[in-house]
Structures are given as structure tokens and as C-alpha cells.
Amino acid sequence: MKIILTQEVSGLGAPGDIVEVKNGYGRNYLLPQGFAIAWTKGAEKQVTVIKRARSAREIRDLDHANEVKAQLEGLKVNLKVRAGDGGRLFGSVTPAEIVDAVKAASGPVLDRRRLEVPGHIKSTGSYPVKIKLHPEVTASFNLNVVQG
């Protein structure tokens, strides 16, 4: 089955890529979740629109990715959350909350889908977070989850 990706799918491709996948994977997961649209000649024309939006949002080049990496690695990111006795959170920390915490710490605007969080964060403490800025550049920073 030929599909056009509308969002980044790890291990498959980036938005605007035309990929061949198994019928069940495309029909039962990618299409209903909105990660892809079915390939047609008309839909292929939409690829240019998708790629143009991606290039505006994406980090420009390797040098820019290295600048953002240096900025992130020198950043102290604190996230205040509600927690009970013993530092156990009510719920867990989401990637969107991490992106907001980076922005609040005067860091760059990040894409939450590119974050790599080590499992679920369900208690206070310090956690290493990685983000893939560019195919060749991965930045890491410490996220301090504190009771607030």
C-alpha cells in the first residue's frame, strides 16, 4: 500500500514522504491516527505543501542544529508539578509539558514528537531527556521535576 506521511513516524519517514507499507499497518494504524493519507495523483500534489510547511518548522541545517544543541545543553530546565507524599506525581509528565518547560527556561521552541523521554516520569527528581534536532545531531539535557 502506498501512502503519504503527514506527520513524522519513527522508523518510517518524515512528513511528505511517499512510502510503501503493509496493507494492515496503513489501513489500521497510519490512516486512522492521521499519520498518513492514501496515495493518489491528486494527493501527491499536496506533498509540496506538506514539505514547505515542514521546511519552515524544521531546523535549517547542521550548523543551526549545533547552535540549538549548545543552547539546550547549557540550560537548566525545571518543571513544577503537583505531587503527593514521597514525591509521587498525580499522573505523569508529558512531552508537551517538557517543551513548555524548555520554553519557560528561555530555551528554543522544540517539537514534542522529537523528544526521547526515558520511560514514564511519575516522581520528582532529575531525568535525562534527549531530542533529535537533525538526522546527525542529538541534544540532551536534564529535566528537574520539582514539587510545586
Side-chain angles (χ1 to χ4, degrees):
M1 170 181 225
K2 239 179 171 179
I3 58 169
I4 301 171
L5 297 176
T6 57
Q7 294 182 17
E8 183 170 339
V9 178
S10 61
L12 198 56
D17 290 349
I18 299 171
V19 294
E20 187 78 30
V21 296
K22 300 268 185 176
N23 289 340
Y25 182 51
R27 243 191 345 262
N28 298 325
Y29 179 68
L30 295 174
L31 295 175
Q33 295 292 326
F35 293 143
I37 56 175
W39 178 87
T40 61
K41 288 182 182 177
E44 192 168 355
K45 292 177 184 174
Q46 291 179 331
V47 169
T48 57
V49 175
I50 293 170
K51 286 189 176 182
R52 193 175 313 127
R54 177 177 70 178
S55 66
R57 182 177 65 237
E58 196 173 74
I59 291 183
R60 291 184 292 279
D61 56 6
L62 188 61
D63 293 333
H64 184 238
N66 285 325
E67 287 176 24
V68 172
K69 178 181 178 181
Q71 185 180 4
L72 273 175
E73 290 179 346
L75 205 60
K76 290 188 180 224
V77 181
N78 291 319
L79 178 62
K80 291 185 179 181
V81 293
R82 288 185 24 181
D85 295 336
R88 187 153 170 79
L89 304 185
F90 300 126
S92 63
V93 175
T94 64
E97 291 173 328
I98 296 171
V99 168
D100 290 341
V102 169
K103 196 184 315 179
S106 69
V109 176
L110 303 174
D111 186 3
R112 65 177 169 76
R113 293 180 297 254
R114 295 179 181 259
L115 282 178
E116 296 174 12
V117 182
H120 297 285
I121 299 176
K122 295 189 174 210
S123 61
T124 57
S126 182
Y127 296 91
V129 177
K130 292 183 181 179
I131 182 161
K132 191 167 187 170
L133 298 170
H134 190 269
E136 301 169 17
V137 179
T138 302
S140 61
F141 60 94
N142 277 332
L143 173 70
N144 295 317
V145 180
V146 294
Q147 188 170 357

